[in-house]
Amino acid sequence: MSVCSCLVLLCVWTLCPWLLAAYQAPEDKEDIFTTRACPAFLVFDNAAYVADMTIELPCRCKPEDVLSVVWYYQKSLGTQNSRVLTDFAGTAVLDSSQVGRGQSLRSRFSIRLFSLLIFMAQESDSGHYVCGTRSGEYFYGYDVDVQHVERVRFNRSLVRTSGAPQADQAKPYRVFTDYWPWSECDRCGIKGEQTRVGLCYVVSQYLQVRYLRQARNVTSCGSAAVPLSFGLAGGSHGAELAVRSCQTPCPPRPSSSPQQQALLDFLAYGESNSLRLPVYHHNHPAETDLILSCPGATAQRVVAWDKGPTPLYRSHYMEGLNKSQRVFIDTGQNLHFQPAQRRDGGTYYCWLRGKKVAEIRLAVYARMGQLRRITDPESLFALRTILISYACLTAVFLVIISVRFVWHVGNERRAKPFISLEK
């Protein structure tokens, strides 16, 4: 080992012991699967989410000898249309940046450490999810209710912290809205926004007992525990989203001693390098839909978007504000382009919990030499234009042939000689 290397290690050991602590092996944690037994009778845990969010369903119990799990999906119990969500190896890797709304459930899920992740969850994904084995053993089940946002409110009528059940003695149930706490301000140092989600719940003493609930006689409106006779399935009951303005100062940066700062500068970990954002490059063809997701974002973390120095506020870019809106932010905090155009190219910044966490450099290019299908709109337009042109040319050709035939017959009649019969 060289002298310089020894000096660097000595400086790290004496001046920055907190750096070495980051490389210490963590203590062994208790395995939850050895202390939590699976229920003898399969029940379903109710879980409500908002559409367009990424949801995670952990397999909360399994035998110790099971090294991989298989997830099963069924829309309604007792039906035969069950689907297996696995590659039978227990690991399904999926790039969330390539996930879209219109894709099927099979192309929007991933299994990581026995947990099922569903990207861009939609209302059609509601149903029963069970983790088990390939041989047909079942361990734990979920009753997932994905609710669509029916109403978005901005900076007004936001004084309620949670909805109260609506009293109606004539009905065997009551519907109310339960609000999540206000999120953190999505930007610091400049004007930002806060969001709050309200999910639809129903309280009744006639709910099915096979479904677990956090509160007695309370479950989400789209849960399978709600009797069909209530008429809530497919109704107007849904989630709400509230948005209000906020402004918070940025937290102070942690200070370091001159010796530690000098060592960090020597090791190329100075302030200028620590504040550098990770850069993601993305090339996308023009006139096609595009969805940008913030790296590391979850349903509980608020996300904000900027295009260069210009903030993209929800009050102007929220989905549903304008029917002709091409660029918008959905309820899952993803940035949509429908479709992406050449002028959309540029640098986009992603904020997570009030801090910039990523820089996305988007390049939108014109498509050239792309193989098209007969069902594409451009292909149908070209085919229709060719057929109309062919029909017009055929009609002109037939008219010319008809005119020439008539003109030829007329000339023959005029040129026919007069024959006289003389005795």
Side-chain angles (χ1 to χ4, degrees):
M1 183 180 294
S2 63
V3 178
C4 295
S5 301
C6 294
L7 291 177
V8 170
L9 292 177
L10 182 60
C11 293
V12 172
W13 181 267
T14 56
L15 299 179
C16 296
W18 51 273
L19 285 177
L20 298 178
Y23 294 94
Q24 294 179 358
E27 299 180 357
D28 294 336
K29 295 183 178 180
E30 183 182 6
D31 188 1
I32 62 173
F33 300 112
T34 60
T35 59
R36 183 167 185 172
C38 295
F41 183 73
L42 184 62
V43 293
F44 298 92
D45 192 0
N46 177 247
Y49 301 94
V50 182
D52 295 326
M53 287 187 173
T54 298
I55 64 178
E56 179 179 1
L57 304 177
C59 188
R60 299 189 181 277
C61 66
K62 71 173 185 64
E64 295 184 55
D65 56 345
V66 176
L67 302 180
S68 63
V69 296
V70 176
W71 281 88
Y72 297 90
Y73 168 73
Q74 197 173 47
K75 186 68 175 180
S76 302
L77 291 181
T79 58
Q80 301 297 327
N81 56 345
S82 299
R83 282 184 280 179
V84 181
L85 304 178
T86 187
D87 56 358
F88 292 110
T91 56
V93 181
L94 182 67
D95 185 4
S96 60
S97 62
Q98 304 297 328
V99 176
R101 279 183 173 178
Q103 299 180 1
S104 63
L105 177 60
R106 290 186 181 274
S107 59
R108 288 187 290 104
F109 82 94
S110 177
I111 297 178
R112 300 174 185 175
L113 295 177
F114 311 113
S115 297
L116 177 66
L117 275 73
I118 303 177
F119 302 95
M120 298 287 294
Q122 301 298 312
E123 287 183 280
S124 58
D125 299 333
S126 300
H128 302 80
Y129 293 83
V130 180
C131 69
T133 61
R134 184 177 180 180
S135 59
E137 296 180 275
Y138 304 124
F139 306 139
Y140 201 83
Y142 287 92
D143 171 34
V144 176
D145 176 21
V146 182
Q147 301 182 8
H148 178 71
V149 175
E150 299 289 343
R151 182 175 59 178
V152 181
R153 299 180 297 165
F154 295 94
N155 292 333
R156 58 181 181 272
S157 302
L158 304 180
V159 295
R160 295 185 301 171
T161 57
S162 74
Q166 301 174 1
D168 191 349
Q169 302 297 333
K171 295 182 179 180
Y173 65 90
R174 294 190 296 267
V175 177
F176 67 98
T177 302
D178 183 48
Y179 291 93
W180 294 358
W182 282 104
S183 66
E184 298 177 283
C185 196
D186 58 6
R187 295 173 177 88
C188 70
I190 59 176
K191 179 182 177 182
E193 292 176 327
Q194 290 178 283
T195 61
R196 185 178 64 174
V197 175
L199 296 175
C200 178
Y201 282 86
V202 58
V203 52
S204 175
Q205 60 181 350
Y206 300 103
L207 302 178
Q208 299 186 22
V209 297
R210 192 176 183 181
Y211 296 87
L212 302 179
R213 298 172 291 274
Q214 295 182 355
R216 182 181 179 183
N217 297 334
V218 177
T219 189
S220 59
C221 293
S223 172
V226 179
L228 296 178
S229 58
F230 287 0
L232 297 180
S236 59
H237 302 286
E240 295 183 2
L241 180 65
V243 181
R244 70 180 182 184
S245 301
C246 63
Q247 188 166 359
T248 58
C250 293
R253 300 172 184 173
S255 59
S256 58
S257 63
Q259 295 84 358
Q260 294 176 348
Q261 187 63 39
L263 179 59
L264 291 176
D265 294 339
F266 175 76
L267 298 177
Y269 285 98
E271 183 178 0
S272 59
N273 295 296
S274 62
L275 297 179
R276 188 174 300 171
L277 299 177
V279 180
Y280 300 87
H281 298 269
H282 184 75
N283 299 324
H284 191 78
E287 302 303 328
T288 57
D289 295 346
L290 171 64
I291 302 177
L292 294 182
S293 299
C294 186
T298 60
Q300 293 77 17
R301 296 183 177 180
V302 61
V303 177
W305 293 94
D306 294 345
K307 183 179 181 181
T310 305
L312 304 179
Y313 291 114
R314 292 177 177 83
S315 56
H316 297 88
Y317 289 91
M318 193 68 198
E319 180 183 11
L321 294 180
N322 190 354
K323 295 183 179 180
S324 60
Q325 197 170 11
R326 186 181 58 85
V327 180
F328 59 88
I329 301 174
D330 64 14
T331 55
Q333 308 180 101
N334 304 301
L335 185 60
H336 289 248
F337 301 86
Q338 293 186 350
Q341 298 181 358
R342 295 287 299 274
R343 65 174 182 267
D344 295 327
T347 302
Y348 292 84
Y349 294 98
C350 171
W351 297 70
L352 191 60
R353 303 185 66 178
K355 300 179 181 179
K356 285 185 179 181
V357 295
E359 175 183 343
I360 302 176
R361 298 180 182 178
L362 175 64
V364 182
Y365 60 90
R367 295 181 296 178
M368 298 181 63
Q370 183 182 7
L371 182 62
R372 298 186 181 276
R373 296 176 297 180
I374 192 63
T375 57
D376 293 340
E378 296 86 354
S379 301
L380 295 177
F381 176 77
L383 183 61
R384 183 168 57 251
T385 303
I386 293 174
L387 293 178
I388 293 176
S389 301
Y390 181 78
C392 293
L393 292 177
T394 303
V396 171
F397 176 75
L398 293 177
V399 170
I400 293 176
I401 294 298
S402 301
V403 170
R404 291 192 60 183
F405 177 75
V406 173
W407 179 77
H408 182 70
V409 171
N411 288 342
E412 286 185 351
R413 289 181 178 179
R414 288 193 298 270
K416 187 176 181 180
F418 178 75
I419 300 177
S420 60
L421 299 175
E422 295 181 358
K423 295 182 178 179

